[in-house]
Amino acid sequence: SGTVVPHVLCTWGTTVPDQEDRNKIFCLAHTKGEAIFFQHLHIVPDGGISRMGSRHRLFSATRVARLALLLFLISFNNYMIFTNFYRTLRRLGDDHQNSFTVLISYEVESTQHVISSLRLFVVSFEVAAILARVTYVLYVFAKYLFLASEAEKSQYVLWHQVHDVCCNQLRTISNFSAMKTLELLNPQFLLPALQLELTQVEEGATYFHVISCFLITHLGFGLLGFLAFCVKLVNLVVDLQDAHKLPYTLRTFWHDALRLCGFVNQMYGITPIAKVETRRLFLFIFGGEDAKISAAELDRQEAFLACVAHRIFTELYQQDPKWRRRFKRLVAMIGFTHLDIQWFMLDETEPADACEEGKNA
């Protein structure tokens, strides 16, 4: 009627795109049926595993840069963990020089001993945990490269371990801290984690046993993570206070930036976004229409991921020399994410769909 539809509408500070195209699609769905929305999508039965060898998506300059960044973060985080351990050992018995505390009063006589004990416990736990993870990573790589027999290379266990190291352990090491167990108290994780634990009921466990172990584990380790957060916050403040006792220089600035960046990096590790996104995609793919992972569906999911690792490390880049081939496969596996799974699994075969026809009508 002569009214001009604006390109965008601003409602409560939110930019809303022009609704005309969406209205055409909406009307087309009523005339041709709602099947127009997804008729162009086809799920590849093998999850796209058979197509990985013919695609160049898994190795690129961007993925090499991401691997370099990951290795840098691993080195940086290990440096922060071991330097915190060294500083804590050196500061034992000197807590009377710093009066900053949280949750407990510094005026209490036993506070200094409590603080020293908690600091030593947290940094020792971090060092032990990071050494255990690094040892496991080195063991799996050594097993794959030198120790595994041909029979082991045809079984699930090896490739499950390879996938776990490349897609989970290395990323965890890059920002690991004792605060990570706070993830167990994240409300967004509790229900999905409980549903996953309840798959043990299908294997013979009782509801009481599963739920009891779940509550004890999540509350215990979650509180440990909260305690670690408090201790590491105190450590950070004390380190900054010590650095500022001398005249402020460029060296003081870099010291502050290093300690703050290390703390923020470890905060990122409490709830890794990539893990949340991957878990949600797997729930959609393997969870079925009830949106719950059963024991059989969980077995299928883990076997699928092991098959992905097996395909990447045995069939990709065979035309390259030995060490270049290994490097490319490592880049491909470490950079493998939920985005790759979706990219390989979905096949858009039709050049144009009804939605586009409706928009162009």
Side-chain angles (χ1 to χ4, degrees), residues 155-190:
Q155 299 298 315
Y156 160 80
V157 175
L158 174 64
W159 302 112
H160 168 73
Q161 293 174 334
V162 169
H163 175 270
D164 179 52
V165 164
C166 294
C167 297
N168 297 320
Q169 298 298 332
L170 289 177
R171 298 172 189 175
T172 299
I173 294 173
S174 68
N175 49 27
F176 174 81
S177 72
M179 298 185 293
K180 183 171 179 59
T181 54
L182 259 178
E183 175 188 0
L184 299 178
L185 292 182
N186 189 328
Q188 298 178 359
F189 274 11
L190 286 176

PDB file of all heavy atoms in Angstrom, residues 155-190:
ATOM      1  N   GLN A 155      42.161 -52.480  16.458  1.00  0.00           N
ATOM      2  CA  GLN A 155      41.183 -52.532  17.541  1.00  0.00           C
ATOM      3  C   GLN A 155      40.765 -51.134  17.975  1.00  0.00           C
ATOM      4  O   GLN A 155      41.421 -50.131  17.671  1.00  0.00           O
ATOM      5  CB  GLN A 155      41.762 -53.296  18.743  1.00  0.00           C
ATOM      6  CG  GLN A 155      42.128 -54.751  18.445  1.00  0.00           C
ATOM      7  CD  GLN A 155      40.934 -55.580  18.031  1.00  0.00           C
ATOM      8  OE1 GLN A 155      39.857 -55.506  18.642  1.00  0.00           O
ATOM      9  NE2 GLN A 155      41.087 -56.372  16.979  1.00  0.00           N
ATOM     10  N   TYR A 156      39.672 -51.081  18.714  1.00  0.00           N
ATOM     11  CA  TYR A 156      39.073 -49.815  19.135  1.00  0.00           C
ATOM     12  C   TYR A 156      39.939 -49.037  20.115  1.00  0.00           C
ATOM     13  O   TYR A 156      40.049 -47.798  20.018  1.00  0.00           O
ATOM     14  CB  TYR A 156      37.703 -50.104  19.766  1.00  0.00           C
ATOM     15  CG  TYR A 156      37.177 -49.016  20.656  1.00  0.00           C
ATOM     16  CD1 TYR A 156      36.557 -47.884  20.123  1.00  0.00           C
ATOM     17  CD2 TYR A 156      37.302 -49.109  22.048  1.00  0.00           C
ATOM     18  CE1 TYR A 156      36.067 -46.887  20.944  1.00  0.00           C
ATOM     19  CE2 TYR A 156      36.815 -48.110  22.872  1.00  0.00           C
ATOM     20  CZ  TYR A 156      36.202 -46.992  22.321  1.00  0.00           C
ATOM     21  OH  TYR A 156      35.730 -46.007  23.141  1.00  0.00           O
ATOM     22  N   VAL A 157      40.585 -49.710  21.063  1.00  0.00           N
ATOM     23  CA  VAL A 157      41.217 -49.044  22.200  1.00  0.00           C
ATOM     24  C   VAL A 157      42.264 -48.020  21.762  1.00  0.00           C
ATOM     25  O   VAL A 157      42.272 -46.877  22.225  1.00  0.00           O
ATOM     26  CB  VAL A 157      41.853 -50.085  23.157  1.00  0.00           C
ATOM     27  CG1 VAL A 157      42.623 -49.382  24.269  1.00  0.00           C
ATOM     28  CG2 VAL A 157      40.771 -50.975  23.748  1.00  0.00           C
ATOM     29  N   LEU A 158      43.151 -48.411  20.868  1.00  0.00           N
ATOM     30  CA  LEU A 158      44.222 -47.511  20.442  1.00  0.00           C
ATOM     31  C   LEU A 158      43.658 -46.236  19.827  1.00  0.00           C
ATOM     32  O   LEU A 158      44.083 -45.126  20.164  1.00  0.00           O
ATOM     33  CB  LEU A 158      45.139 -48.215  19.443  1.00  0.00           C
ATOM     34  CG  LEU A 158      46.222 -47.320  18.812  1.00  0.00           C
ATOM     35  CD1 LEU A 158      47.183 -46.827  19.871  1.00  0.00           C
ATOM     36  CD2 LEU A 158      46.963 -48.065  17.713  1.00  0.00           C
ATOM     37  N   TRP A 159      42.693 -46.371  18.941  1.00  0.00           N
ATOM     38  CA  TRP A 159      42.178 -45.198  18.239  1.00  0.00           C
ATOM     39  C   TRP A 159      41.279 -44.357  19.124  1.00  0.00           C
ATOM     40  O   TRP A 159      41.184 -43.132  18.928  1.00  0.00           O
ATOM     41  CB  TRP A 159      41.454 -45.651  16.968  1.00  0.00           C
ATOM     42  CG  TRP A 159      42.383 -46.423  16.092  1.00  0.00           C
ATOM     43  CD1 TRP A 159      42.336 -47.747  15.783  1.00  0.00           C
ATOM     44  CD2 TRP A 159      43.556 -45.902  15.448  1.00  0.00           C
ATOM     45  NE1 TRP A 159      43.391 -48.095  14.992  1.00  0.00           N
ATOM     46  CE2 TRP A 159      44.159 -46.978  14.763  1.00  0.00           C
ATOM     47  CE3 TRP A 159      44.164 -44.650  15.380  1.00  0.00           C
ATOM     48  CZ2 TRP A 159      45.327 -46.846  14.015  1.00  0.00           C
ATOM     49  CZ3 TRP A 159      45.325 -44.499  14.650  1.00  0.00           C
ATOM     50  CH2 TRP A 159      45.891 -45.594  13.977  1.00  0.00           C
ATOM     51  N   HIS A 160      40.662 -44.961  20.103  1.00  0.00           N
ATOM     52  CA  HIS A 160      39.945 -44.175  21.112  1.00  0.00           C
ATOM     53  C   HIS A 160      40.929 -43.318  21.905  1.00  0.00           C
ATOM     54  O   HIS A 160      40.663 -42.132  22.168  1.00  0.00           O
ATOM     55  CB  HIS A 160      39.182 -45.106  22.051  1.00  0.00           C
ATOM     56  CG  HIS A 160      38.667 -44.421  23.279  1.00  0.00           C
ATOM     57  ND1 HIS A 160      37.604 -43.545  23.255  1.00  0.00           N
ATOM     58  CD2 HIS A 160      39.101 -44.471  24.573  1.00  0.00           C
ATOM     59  CE1 HIS A 160      37.389 -43.085  24.481  1.00  0.00           C
ATOM     60  NE2 HIS A 160      38.276 -43.632  25.300  1.00  0.00           N
ATOM     61  N   GLN A 161      42.058 -43.902  22.273  1.00  0.00           N
ATOM     62  CA  GLN A 161      43.073 -43.150  23.009  1.00  0.00           C
ATOM     63  C   GLN A 161      43.671 -42.036  22.157  1.00  0.00           C
ATOM     64  O   GLN A 161      43.897 -40.920  22.648  1.00  0.00           O
ATOM     65  CB  GLN A 161      44.168 -44.096  23.500  1.00  0.00           C
ATOM     66  CG  GLN A 161      43.702 -45.074  24.565  1.00  0.00           C
ATOM     67  CD  GLN A 161      44.778 -46.086  24.927  1.00  0.00           C
ATOM     68  OE1 GLN A 161      45.668 -46.391  24.127  1.00  0.00           O
ATOM     69  NE2 GLN A 161      44.696 -46.617  26.133  1.00  0.00           N
ATOM     70  N   VAL A 162      43.927 -42.310  20.884  1.00  0.00           N
ATOM     71  CA  VAL A 162      44.472 -41.291  19.987  1.00  0.00           C
ATOM     72  C   VAL A 162      43.508 -40.121  19.857  1.00  0.00           C
ATOM     73  O   VAL A 162      43.900 -38.951  19.924  1.00  0.00           O
ATOM     74  CB  VAL A 162      44.780 -41.907  18.606  1.00  0.00           C
ATOM     75  CG1 VAL A 162      45.100 -40.810  17.599  1.00  0.00           C
ATOM     76  CG2 VAL A 162      45.948 -42.878  18.712  1.00  0.00           C
ATOM     77  N   HIS A 163      42.228 -40.433  19.653  1.00  0.00           N
ATOM     78  CA  HIS A 163      41.236 -39.355  19.561  1.00  0.00           C
ATOM     79  C   HIS A 163      41.143 -38.579  20.866  1.00  0.00           C
ATOM     80  O   HIS A 163      41.060 -37.335  20.873  1.00  0.00           O
ATOM     81  CB  HIS A 163      39.865 -39.938  19.209  1.00  0.00           C
ATOM     82  CG  HIS A 163      38.768 -38.901  19.219  1.00  0.00           C
ATOM     83  ND1 HIS A 163      38.041 -38.613  20.353  1.00  0.00           N
ATOM     84  CD2 HIS A 163      38.301 -38.068  18.247  1.00  0.00           C
ATOM     85  CE1 HIS A 163      37.172 -37.661  20.090  1.00  0.00           C
ATOM     86  NE2 HIS A 163      37.316 -37.319  18.821  1.00  0.00           N
ATOM     87  N   ASP A 164      41.160 -39.267  21.986  1.00  0.00           N
ATOM     88  CA  ASP A 164      41.068 -38.603  23.290  1.00  0.00           C
ATOM     89  C   ASP A 164      42.240 -37.653  23.503  1.00  0.00           C
ATOM     90  O   ASP A 164      42.062 -36.526  23.977  1.00  0.00           O
ATOM     91  CB  ASP A 164      41.018 -39.652  24.399  1.00  0.00           C
ATOM     92  CG  ASP A 164      40.941 -39.023  25.777  1.00  0.00           C
ATOM     93  OD1 ASP A 164      40.064 -38.166  25.988  1.00  0.00           O
ATOM     94  OD2 ASP A 164      41.752 -39.391  26.645  1.00  0.00           O
ATOM     95  N   VAL A 165      43.435 -38.084  23.148  1.00  0.00           N
ATOM     96  CA  VAL A 165      44.620 -37.242  23.322  1.00  0.00           C
ATOM     97  C   VAL A 165      44.552 -36.018  22.419  1.00  0.00           C
ATOM     98  O   VAL A 165      44.769 -34.880  22.864  1.00  0.00           O
ATOM     99  CB  VAL A 165      45.902 -38.050  23.038  1.00  0.00           C
ATOM    100  CG1 VAL A 165      47.092 -37.123  22.822  1.00  0.00           C
ATOM    101  CG2 VAL A 165      46.183 -38.991  24.198  1.00  0.00           C
ATOM    102  N   CYS A 166      44.254 -36.219  21.147  1.00  0.00           N
ATOM    103  CA  CYS A 166      44.288 -35.118  20.178  1.00  0.00           C
ATOM    104  C   CYS A 166      43.146 -34.131  20.363  1.00  0.00           C
ATOM    105  O   CYS A 166      43.336 -32.919  20.205  1.00  0.00           O
ATOM    106  CB  CYS A 166      44.269 -35.681  18.754  1.00  0.00           C
ATOM    107  SG  CYS A 166      45.745 -36.614  18.302  1.00  0.00           S
ATOM    108  N   CYS A 167      41.971 -34.628  20.688  1.00  0.00           N
ATOM    109  CA  CYS A 167      40.786 -33.766  20.731  1.00  0.00           C
ATOM    110  C   CYS A 167      40.360 -33.362  22.133  1.00  0.00           C
ATOM    111  O   CYS A 167      39.528 -32.460  22.274  1.00  0.00           O
ATOM    112  CB  CYS A 167      39.617 -34.449  20.030  1.00  0.00           C
ATOM    113  SG  CYS A 167      39.907 -34.749  18.276  1.00  0.00           S
ATOM    114  N   ASN A 168      40.914 -34.003  23.155  1.00  0.00           N
ATOM    115  CA  ASN A 168      40.513 -33.676  24.528  1.00  0.00           C
ATOM    116  C   ASN A 168      41.696 -33.299  25.412  1.00  0.00           C
ATOM    117  O   ASN A 168      41.735 -32.189  25.971  1.00  0.00           O
ATOM    118  CB  ASN A 168      39.750 -34.850  25.150  1.00  0.00           C
ATOM    119  CG  ASN A 168      38.464 -35.157  24.422  1.00  0.00           C
ATOM    120  OD1 ASN A 168      37.741 -34.260  23.993  1.00  0.00           O
ATOM    121  ND2 ASN A 168      38.155 -36.444  24.271  1.00  0.00           N
ATOM    122  N   GLN A 169      42.656 -34.207  25.539  1.00  0.00           N
ATOM    123  CA  GLN A 169      43.720 -34.000  26.516  1.00  0.00           C
ATOM    124  C   GLN A 169      44.602 -32.787  26.198  1.00  0.00           C
ATOM    125  O   GLN A 169      44.900 -31.973  27.085  1.00  0.00           O
ATOM    126  CB  GLN A 169      44.583 -35.270  26.620  1.00  0.00           C
ATOM    127  CG  GLN A 169      43.846 -36.487  27.105  1.00  0.00           C
ATOM    128  CD  GLN A 169      43.296 -36.318  28.509  1.00  0.00           C
ATOM    129  OE1 GLN A 169      43.825 -35.578  29.325  1.00  0.00           O
ATOM    130  NE2 GLN A 169      42.195 -36.998  28.794  1.00  0.00           N
ATOM    131  N   LEU A 170      45.027 -32.639  24.956  1.00  0.00           N
ATOM    132  CA  LEU A 170      45.891 -31.522  24.609  1.00  0.00           C
ATOM    133  C   LEU A 170      45.188 -30.184  24.824  1.00  0.00           C
ATOM    134  O   LEU A 170      45.795 -29.220  25.312  1.00  0.00           O
ATOM    135  CB  LEU A 170      46.366 -31.645  23.162  1.00  0.00           C
ATOM    136  CG  LEU A 170      47.377 -32.759  22.884  1.00  0.00           C
ATOM    137  CD1 LEU A 170      47.709 -32.826  21.398  1.00  0.00           C
ATOM    138  CD2 LEU A 170      48.653 -32.538  23.690  1.00  0.00           C
ATOM    139  N   ARG A 171      43.915 -30.125  24.472  1.00  0.00           N
ATOM    140  CA  ARG A 171      43.167 -28.886  24.679  1.00  0.00           C
ATOM    141  C   ARG A 171      42.971 -28.612  26.157  1.00  0.00           C
ATOM    142  O   ARG A 171      42.995 -27.453  26.590  1.00  0.00           O
ATOM    143  CB  ARG A 171      41.812 -28.972  23.968  1.00  0.00           C
ATOM    144  CG  ARG A 171      41.938 -29.128  22.458  1.00  0.00           C
ATOM    145  CD  ARG A 171      40.602 -29.409  21.792  1.00  0.00           C
ATOM    146  NE  ARG A 171      40.767 -29.759  20.392  1.00  0.00           N
ATOM    147  CZ  ARG A 171      39.794 -30.139  19.581  1.00  0.00           C
ATOM    148  NH1 ARG A 171      38.554 -30.203  20.050  1.00  0.00           N
ATOM    149  NH2 ARG A 171      40.035 -30.450  18.319  1.00  0.00           N
ATOM    150  N   THR A 172      42.789 -29.656  26.941  1.00  0.00           N
ATOM    151  CA  THR A 172      42.642 -29.471  28.379  1.00  0.00           C
ATOM    152  C   THR A 172      43.935 -28.967  29.006  1.00  0.00           C
ATOM    153  O   THR A 172      43.922 -28.067  29.852  1.00  0.00           O
ATOM    154  CB  THR A 172      42.222 -30.788  29.044  1.00  0.00           C
ATOM    155  OG1 THR A 172      40.963 -31.202  28.514  1.00  0.00           O
ATOM    156  CG2 THR A 172      42.094 -30.621  30.550  1.00  0.00           C
ATOM    157  N   ILE A 173      45.072 -29.520  28.584  1.00  0.00           N
ATOM    158  CA  ILE A 173      46.362 -29.111  29.141  1.00  0.00           C
ATOM    159  C   ILE A 173      46.646 -27.642  28.858  1.00  0.00           C
ATOM    160  O   ILE A 173      47.327 -26.971  29.637  1.00  0.00           O
ATOM    161  CB  ILE A 173      47.484 -30.008  28.580  1.00  0.00           C
ATOM    162  CG1 ILE A 173      47.314 -31.446  29.083  1.00  0.00           C
ATOM    163  CG2 ILE A 173      48.866 -29.500  28.957  1.00  0.00           C
ATOM    164  CD1 ILE A 173      48.274 -32.427  28.449  1.00  0.00           C
ATOM    165  N   SER A 174      46.111 -27.114  27.760  1.00  0.00           N
ATOM    166  CA  SER A 174      46.413 -25.730  27.370  1.00  0.00           C
ATOM    167  C   SER A 174      45.864 -24.703  28.353  1.00  0.00           C
ATOM    168  O   SER A 174      46.359 -23.575  28.410  1.00  0.00           O
ATOM    169  CB  SER A 174      45.868 -25.445  25.966  1.00  0.00           C
ATOM    170  OG  SER A 174      44.446 -25.452  25.969  1.00  0.00           O
ATOM    171  N   ASN A 175      44.830 -25.059  29.146  1.00  0.00           N
ATOM    172  CA  ASN A 175      44.312 -24.110  30.134  1.00  0.00           C
ATOM    173  C   ASN A 175      43.846 -24.814  31.409  1.00  0.00           C
ATOM    174  O   ASN A 175      42.924 -24.350  32.084  1.00  0.00           O
ATOM    175  CB  ASN A 175      43.169 -23.277  29.545  1.00  0.00           C
ATOM    176  CG  ASN A 175      42.108 -24.128  28.857  1.00  0.00           C
ATOM    177  OD1 ASN A 175      41.919 -25.293  29.197  1.00  0.00           O
ATOM    178  ND2 ASN A 175      41.429 -23.556  27.882  1.00  0.00           N
ATOM    179  N   PHE A 176      44.494 -25.908  31.729  1.00  0.00           N
ATOM    180  CA  PHE A 176      44.118 -26.678  32.909  1.00  0.00           C
ATOM    181  C   PHE A 176      44.539 -25.967  34.192  1.00  0.00           C
ATOM    182  O   PHE A 176      45.569 -25.307  34.259  1.00  0.00           O
ATOM    183  CB  PHE A 176      44.765 -28.068  32.875  1.00  0.00           C
ATOM    184  CG  PHE A 176      44.532 -28.859  34.129  1.00  0.00           C
ATOM    185  CD1 PHE A 176      43.344 -29.542  34.323  1.00  0.00           C
ATOM    186  CD2 PHE A 176      45.488 -28.899  35.132  1.00  0.00           C
ATOM    187  CE1 PHE A 176      43.110 -30.255  35.478  1.00  0.00           C
ATOM    188  CE2 PHE A 176      45.271 -29.614  36.297  1.00  0.00           C
ATOM    189  CZ  PHE A 176      44.078 -30.298  36.468  1.00  0.00           C
ATOM    190  N   SER A 177      43.708 -26.112  35.209  1.00  0.00           N
ATOM    191  CA  SER A 177      44.054 -25.692  36.565  1.00  0.00           C
ATOM    192  C   SER A 177      43.160 -26.462  37.522  1.00  0.00           C
ATOM    193  O   SER A 177      42.212 -27.152  37.101  1.00  0.00           O
ATOM    194  CB  SER A 177      43.850 -24.186  36.748  1.00  0.00           C
ATOM    195  OG  SER A 177      42.469 -23.862  36.789  1.00  0.00           O
ATOM    196  N   ALA A 178      43.422 -26.325  38.803  1.00  0.00           N
ATOM    197  CA  ALA A 178      42.576 -26.985  39.796  1.00  0.00           C
ATOM    198  C   ALA A 178      41.165 -26.408  39.800  1.00  0.00           C
ATOM    199  O   ALA A 178      40.239 -27.042  40.312  1.00  0.00           O
ATOM    200  CB  ALA A 178      43.208 -26.846  41.182  1.00  0.00           C
ATOM    201  N   MET A 179      41.000 -25.218  39.221  1.00  0.00           N
ATOM    202  CA  MET A 179      39.672 -24.611  39.148  1.00  0.00           C
ATOM    203  C   MET A 179      38.759 -25.358  38.184  1.00  0.00           C
ATOM    204  O   MET A 179      37.540 -25.142  38.192  1.00  0.00           O
ATOM    205  CB  MET A 179      39.775 -23.148  38.718  1.00  0.00           C
ATOM    206  CG  MET A 179      40.540 -22.255  39.659  1.00  0.00           C
ATOM    207  SD  MET A 179      40.496 -20.513  39.147  1.00  0.00           S
ATOM    208  CE  MET A 179      41.463 -20.588  37.616  1.00  0.00           C
ATOM    209  N   LYS A 180      39.300 -26.194  37.328  1.00  0.00           N
ATOM    210  CA  LYS A 180      38.511 -26.851  36.288  1.00  0.00           C
ATOM    211  C   LYS A 180      37.385 -27.699  36.852  1.00  0.00           C
ATOM    212  O   LYS A 180      36.333 -27.849  36.217  1.00  0.00           O
ATOM    213  CB  LYS A 180      39.410 -27.715  35.405  1.00  0.00           C
ATOM    214  CG  LYS A 180      38.663 -28.360  34.252  1.00  0.00           C
ATOM    215  CD  LYS A 180      39.585 -29.018  33.265  1.00  0.00           C
ATOM    216  CE  LYS A 180      38.781 -29.666  32.152  1.00  0.00           C
ATOM    217  NZ  LYS A 180      37.927 -28.693  31.430  1.00  0.00           N
ATOM    218  N   THR A 181      37.572 -28.227  38.064  1.00  0.00           N
ATOM    219  CA  THR A 181      36.517 -29.062  38.632  1.00  0.00           C
ATOM    220  C   THR A 181      35.275 -28.246  38.999  1.00  0.00           C
ATOM    221  O   THR A 181      34.235 -28.825  39.315  1.00  0.00           O
ATOM    222  CB  THR A 181      37.032 -29.801  39.877  1.00  0.00           C
ATOM    223  OG1 THR A 181      37.582 -28.856  40.807  1.00  0.00           O
ATOM    224  CG2 THR A 181      38.116 -30.799  39.493  1.00  0.00           C
ATOM    225  N   LEU A 182      35.360 -26.905  38.943  1.00  0.00           N
ATOM    226  CA  LEU A 182      34.168 -26.078  39.106  1.00  0.00           C
ATOM    227  C   LEU A 182      33.137 -26.380  38.022  1.00  0.00           C
ATOM    228  O   LEU A 182      31.943 -26.127  38.198  1.00  0.00           O
ATOM    229  CB  LEU A 182      34.545 -24.591  39.044  1.00  0.00           C
ATOM    230  CG  LEU A 182      34.654 -23.828  40.374  1.00  0.00           C
ATOM    231  CD1 LEU A 182      35.091 -22.397  40.124  1.00  0.00           C
ATOM    232  CD2 LEU A 182      33.353 -23.862  41.141  1.00  0.00           C
ATOM    233  N   GLU A 183      33.607 -26.908  36.905  1.00  0.00           N
ATOM    234  CA  GLU A 183      32.712 -27.287  35.813  1.00  0.00           C
ATOM    235  C   GLU A 183      31.628 -28.253  36.283  1.00  0.00           C
ATOM    236  O   GLU A 183      30.499 -28.243  35.784  1.00  0.00           O
ATOM    237  CB  GLU A 183      33.526 -27.917  34.688  1.00  0.00           C
ATOM    238  CG  GLU A 183      32.720 -28.465  33.538  1.00  0.00           C
ATOM    239  CD  GLU A 183      33.580 -29.244  32.555  1.00  0.00           C
ATOM    240  OE1 GLU A 183      34.797 -29.344  32.778  1.00  0.00           O
ATOM    241  OE2 GLU A 183      33.022 -29.752  31.573  1.00  0.00           O
ATOM    242  N   LEU A 184      31.962 -29.074  37.279  1.00  0.00           N
ATOM    243  CA  LEU A 184      31.019 -30.077  37.758  1.00  0.00           C
ATOM    244  C   LEU A 184      29.830 -29.466  38.480  1.00  0.00           C
ATOM    245  O   LEU A 184      28.822 -30.137  38.700  1.00  0.00           O
ATOM    246  CB  LEU A 184      31.740 -31.062  38.679  1.00  0.00           C
ATOM    247  CG  LEU A 184      32.885 -31.860  38.046  1.00  0.00           C
ATOM    248  CD1 LEU A 184      33.550 -32.752  39.067  1.00  0.00           C
ATOM    249  CD2 LEU A 184      32.375 -32.681  36.872  1.00  0.00           C
ATOM    250  N   LEU A 185      29.937 -28.178  38.878  1.00  0.00           N
ATOM    251  CA  LEU A 185      28.828 -27.495  39.533  1.00  0.00           C
ATOM    252  C   LEU A 185      28.094 -26.551  38.591  1.00  0.00           C
ATOM    253  O   LEU A 185      27.165 -25.859  39.020  1.00  0.00           O
ATOM    254  CB  LEU A 185      29.332 -26.705  40.749  1.00  0.00           C
ATOM    255  CG  LEU A 185      29.853 -27.530  41.931  1.00  0.00           C
ATOM    256  CD1 LEU A 185      30.264 -26.614  43.072  1.00  0.00           C
ATOM    257  CD2 LEU A 185      28.812 -28.533  42.409  1.00  0.00           C
ATOM    258  N   ASN A 186      28.504 -26.513  37.339  1.00  0.00           N
ATOM    259  CA  ASN A 186      27.840 -25.652  36.372  1.00  0.00           C
ATOM    260  C   ASN A 186      26.419 -26.170  36.127  1.00  0.00           C
ATOM    261  O   ASN A 186      26.227 -27.300  35.696  1.00  0.00           O
ATOM    262  CB  ASN A 186      28.624 -25.639  35.057  1.00  0.00           C
ATOM    263  CG  ASN A 186      28.124 -24.591  34.081  1.00  0.00           C
ATOM    264  OD1 ASN A 186      26.939 -24.268  34.049  1.00  0.00           O
ATOM    265  ND2 ASN A 186      29.022 -24.043  33.287  1.00  0.00           N
ATOM    266  N   PRO A 187      25.385 -25.362  36.408  1.00  0.00           N
ATOM    267  CA  PRO A 187      24.002 -25.839  36.226  1.00  0.00           C
ATOM    268  C   PRO A 187      23.710 -26.325  34.811  1.00  0.00           C
ATOM    269  O   PRO A 187      22.881 -27.214  34.623  1.00  0.00           O
ATOM    270  CB  PRO A 187      23.164 -24.593  36.571  1.00  0.00           C
ATOM    271  CG  PRO A 187      24.042 -23.778  37.449  1.00  0.00           C
ATOM    272  CD  PRO A 187      25.443 -24.002  36.949  1.00  0.00           C
ATOM    273  N   GLN A 188      24.390 -25.754  33.812  1.00  0.00           N
ATOM    274  CA  GLN A 188      24.155 -26.166  32.433  1.00  0.00           C
ATOM    275  C   GLN A 188      24.714 -27.560  32.153  1.00  0.00           C
ATOM    276  O   GLN A 188      24.331 -28.188  31.162  1.00  0.00           O
ATOM    277  CB  GLN A 188      24.777 -25.154  31.471  1.00  0.00           C
ATOM    278  CG  GLN A 188      24.181 -23.766  31.583  1.00  0.00           C
ATOM    279  CD  GLN A 188      24.841 -22.783  30.649  1.00  0.00           C
ATOM    280  OE1 GLN A 188      25.770 -23.122  29.917  1.00  0.00           O
ATOM    281  NE2 GLN A 188      24.382 -21.553  30.662  1.00  0.00           N
ATOM    282  N   PHE A 189      25.621 -28.036  32.997  1.00  0.00           N
ATOM    283  CA  PHE A 189      26.243 -29.341  32.790  1.00  0.00           C
ATOM    284  C   PHE A 189      25.604 -30.433  33.632  1.00  0.00           C
ATOM    285  O   PHE A 189      25.745 -31.614  33.317  1.00  0.00           O
ATOM    286  CB  PHE A 189      27.728 -29.273  33.143  1.00  0.00           C
ATOM    287  CG  PHE A 189      28.594 -28.807  32.019  1.00  0.00           C
ATOM    288  CD1 PHE A 189      28.046 -28.257  30.869  1.00  0.00           C
ATOM    289  CD2 PHE A 189      29.980 -28.901  32.102  1.00  0.00           C
ATOM    290  CE1 PHE A 189      28.833 -27.827  29.832  1.00  0.00           C
ATOM    291  CE2 PHE A 189      30.782 -28.471  31.060  1.00  0.00           C
ATOM    292  CZ  PHE A 189      30.202 -27.929  29.924  1.00  0.00           C
ATOM    293  N   LEU A 190      24.928 -30.077  34.705  1.00  0.00           N
ATOM    294  CA  LEU A 190      24.498 -31.077  35.673  1.00  0.00           C
ATOM    295  C   LEU A 190      23.522 -32.084  35.072  1.00  0.00           C
ATOM    296  O   LEU A 190      23.718 -33.295  35.197  1.00  0.00           O
ATOM    297  CB  LEU A 190      23.871 -30.387  36.888  1.00  0.00           C
ATOM    298  CG  LEU A 190      24.854 -29.706  37.841  1.00  0.00           C
ATOM    299  CD1 LEU A 190      24.103 -28.979  38.953  1.00  0.00           C
ATOM    300  CD2 LEU A 190      25.814 -30.736  38.437  1.00  0.00           C
TER     301      LEU A 190
END
